[in-house]
Amino acid sequence: MRVVERFQASTGINAYWQSVSAAIIVMPYRHLRDPNINETMFRTVANYTYDWESWHDPLGKPVWINDAVRRMTGYSPDECLAMPEYPLPIVAERHQARMRKMLKDAIDKKSNNDLEFEIVNRNGNARWMAISWQPMYDDAGTHQGFRTSVRDITDRQGLKEQLRLYTEHLEQLVQERTVRITQLEKHRQQMEKLAALGELAAGVAHEVNNPLAGIRNAFALFKDSLEPTHEHYDLLDLVDKEIERISSIIHQMYQLYKRGPLAATELTIEKTIRDCVCLLEPIARRHGVTLQVIPERSTTSARLPENELKQILFNIVRNAIQASPTGATVRIEIDAKDERVAVLVADQGSGISDDVLPHIFEPFFSTKGELKEGMGLGLSVTRNLIESMDGEINVATEVGEGTTFRVMLPRWRRD
């Protein structure tokens, strides 16, 4: 017995097929209901509909399924009609609850459009579908069940996934750019602050330098007039050292100001480092620290501003000495590439804490207040000099283990 005839026999609704057929084809005019357009023609049209069509009775039981189901799922219409709780056995497990609710809504005479769900076809492959459903009524207004229409949206879902990934990638790029912009803005503000402080420092240094030179000359004359046997002669060396310290601070303040073009000269990195080590040996001995240069014997030629390079190395190595405990070693290592040269200065101190690290390059920021060994300009001046040479400085630190400063510079700088 045909499917429709079985349904008609079980329900007693002889006009069922005509009603549900009318749900498939909506005639533009009522008078086009030609008696020659019979059940066979409606069935043909329904079977050749591209979407997967199903017709259900008022209780949700499938009455008719078109041949498109075979193309989408691999199951024949007869197999689907025999399935318990059709179409749930074809639906992916994670979407079965969604489809149960859809069937309940359809039985309750509700309609909806484009509900997405996933199926697993006969071959075990997952496909994405979108289902629409609506209730059906005959000419007398009697409820005849509902119709579902399913279309394959796997390609569309793939595009949506690609779009999602692309959106996530864009969001990541935006976040990275935002962080970079924030860093650049912070750096710009720091440069503006540094420039303002530099102008102030240069003005103060200029005003102080002239009277300081007079004090130094007068003191030299005073010192020469005293015999070494004088009871206070030893104090003169202390005064001389303090005048020298003031002069050094003024020199650093000058360096804060915007500098002109730096003149590059031919040099060897190792010799420049040895010169700095020679100057710093007295400070190292006073702290009980050993200076180690790696490699000991090599020649790395470069073209860089020599005085500025010495100032950079002097500041960083002196900081490393001051940060190191007695008996420690400060390692100075050279790593030269074709176009770049890096100098690493590693100490065995207590490291830099996370709350201090972001501020170490700020002018007048110092952790040496109790030692009275500086006014917090050394690293600020150092970074300024490095950036003026198109280089960069990085810091790696671990609390309790020590700190390593890495200075990277172009090996061949042109004037």
Side-chain angles (χ1 to χ4, degrees):
M1 184 182 297
R2 292 178 301 174
V3 174
V4 175
E5 290 172 343
R6 288 201 303 269
F7 176 77
Q8 292 172 345
S10 63
T11 62
I13 303 175
N14 294 326
Y16 180 80
W17 182 260
Q18 287 79 5
S19 298
V20 294
S21 297
I24 291 295
I25 298 179
V26 179
M27 294 298 178
Y29 302 102
R30 299 286 295 179
H31 66 270
L32 289 182
R33 288 187 174 180
D34 190 328
N36 294 324
I37 302 177
N38 55 24
E39 174 186 327
T40 302
M41 295 182 67
F42 279 114
R43 186 186 294 274
T44 300
V45 171
N47 273 329
Y48 279 89
T49 300
Y50 188 80
D51 291 344
W52 162 15
E53 300 282 344
S54 300
W55 298 346
H56 299 250
D57 67 15
L59 298 178
K61 182 178 179 180
V63 176
W64 181 86
I65 303 168
N66 73 347
D67 287 337
V69 69
R70 193 193 310 271
R71 171 173 51 81
M72 295 187 184
T73 70
Y75 296 97
S76 69
D78 288 339
E79 288 175 310
C80 292
L81 286 168
M83 285 180 183
E85 295 188 285
Y86 166 86
L88 296 182
I90 308 174
V91 177
E93 185 175 353
R94 64 193 180 106
H95 288 160
Q96 287 186 3
R98 176 184 298 180
M99 294 306 293
R100 280 195 174 92
K101 183 178 184 305
M102 167 254 144
L103 290 171
K104 181 179 181 303
D105 288 346
I107 292 171
D108 291 342
K109 305 177 185 178
K110 298 177 183 178
S111 63
N112 209 329
N113 184 48
D114 220 21
L115 175 68
E116 296 180 359
F117 68 101
E118 199 173 18
I119 67 165
V120 179
N121 64 20
R122 185 186 288 277
N123 295 327
N125 297 323
R127 305 287 295 178
W128 277 94
M129 304 287 163
I131 185 170
S132 302
W133 67 93
Q134 60 183 3
M136 296 187 299
Y137 300 88
D138 61 14
D139 289 343
T142 303
H143 181 228
Q144 299 294 320
F146 61 91
R147 167 202 173 195
T148 67
S149 181
V150 182
R151 60 186 176 281
D152 192 326
I153 60 166
T154 303
D155 292 341
R156 186 179 81 182
Q157 200 71 15
L159 291 174
K160 285 173 63 176
E161 179 64 15
Q162 290 180 16
L163 182 60
R164 184 188 67 81
L165 294 174
Y166 183 68
T167 302
E168 288 182 357
H169 180 62
L170 282 179
E171 289 176 352
Q172 182 180 356
L173 288 177
V174 169
Q175 290 176 357
E176 292 173 355
R177 296 295 188 274
T178 301
V179 170
R180 179 59 178 158
I181 290 171
T182 302
Q183 292 173 343
L184 290 174
E185 178 62 19
K186 183 178 179 181
H187 185 63
R188 183 190 66 79
Q189 293 174 355
Q190 184 68 19
M191 289 300 98
E192 289 180 354
K193 176 182 177 182
L194 196 59
L197 288 172
E199 286 194 50
L200 175 63
V204 172
H206 177 73
E207 295 299 324
V208 172
N209 197 50
N210 290 334
L212 182 64
I215 292 172
R216 173 175 283 175
N217 292 334
F219 176 76
L221 293 173
F222 177 72
K223 183 178 180 181
D224 290 341
S225 67
L226 295 179
E227 296 293 332
T229 57
H230 192 280
E231 60 177 323
H232 298 304
Y233 191 85
D234 292 342
L235 296 177
L236 299 181
D237 287 337
L238 176 61
V239 174
D240 197 22
K241 288 180 181 177
E242 291 302 303
I243 292 175
E244 184 61 33
R245 191 164 76 90
I246 294 172
S247 178
S248 175
I249 291 173
I250 291 173
H251 178 67
Q252 287 188 351
M253 292 176 72
Y254 266 128
Q255 289 181 320
L256 271 177
Y257 191 59
K258 184 178 180 181
R259 307 175 59 87
L262 305 179
T265 58
E266 298 285 343
L267 55 83
T268 58
I269 301 296
E270 288 78 7
K271 182 180 183 304
T272 305
I273 291 176
R274 284 196 299 269
D275 290 345
C276 289
V277 168
C278 183
L279 292 172
L280 290 166
E281 277 290 355
I283 300 176
R285 283 196 300 270
R286 191 166 68 245
H287 284 78
V289 173
T290 302
L291 300 179
Q292 179 186 19
V293 181
I294 303 172
E296 293 184 4
R297 293 182 178 85
S298 66
T299 302
T300 305
S301 59
R303 180 178 173 82
L304 292 166
E306 185 173 12
N307 290 335
E308 284 73 13
L309 179 58
K310 283 183 179 179
Q311 185 66 47
I312 291 168
L313 295 172
F314 185 90
N315 290 345
I316 295 176
V317 176
R318 182 180 58 184
N319 282 358
I321 294 171
Q322 294 170 348
S324 299
T326 301
T329 298
V330 171
R331 190 180 80 256
I332 308 165
E333 188 172 343
I334 303 165
D335 181 18
K337 305 296 183 184
D338 291 339
E339 299 295 332
R340 305 281 288 179
V341 60
V343 179
L344 286 76
V345 179
D347 64 51
Q348 297 175 330
S350 58
I352 305 172
S353 62
D354 291 340
D355 58 328
V356 171
L357 187 60
H359 306 289
I360 61 173
F361 292 107
E362 294 178 2
F364 304 108
F365 179 85
S366 176
T367 59
K368 308 173 190 173
E370 296 180 359
L371 300 176
K372 297 182 180 179
E373 294 184 351
M375 58 184 296
L377 293 176
L379 285 178
S380 179
V381 169
T382 297
R383 186 171 70 172
N384 249 11
L385 292 172
I386 291 171
E387 290 180 350
S388 69
M389 296 161 65
D390 299 322
E392 59 182 88
I393 181 170
N394 296 325
V395 185
T397 186
E398 186 172 347
V399 175
E401 297 294 331
T403 302
T404 299
F405 283 84
R406 180 183 179 90
V407 177
M408 288 167 287
L409 297 168
R411 192 170 172 182
W412 308 103
R413 178 179 172 84
R414 301 192 180 279
D415 296 333

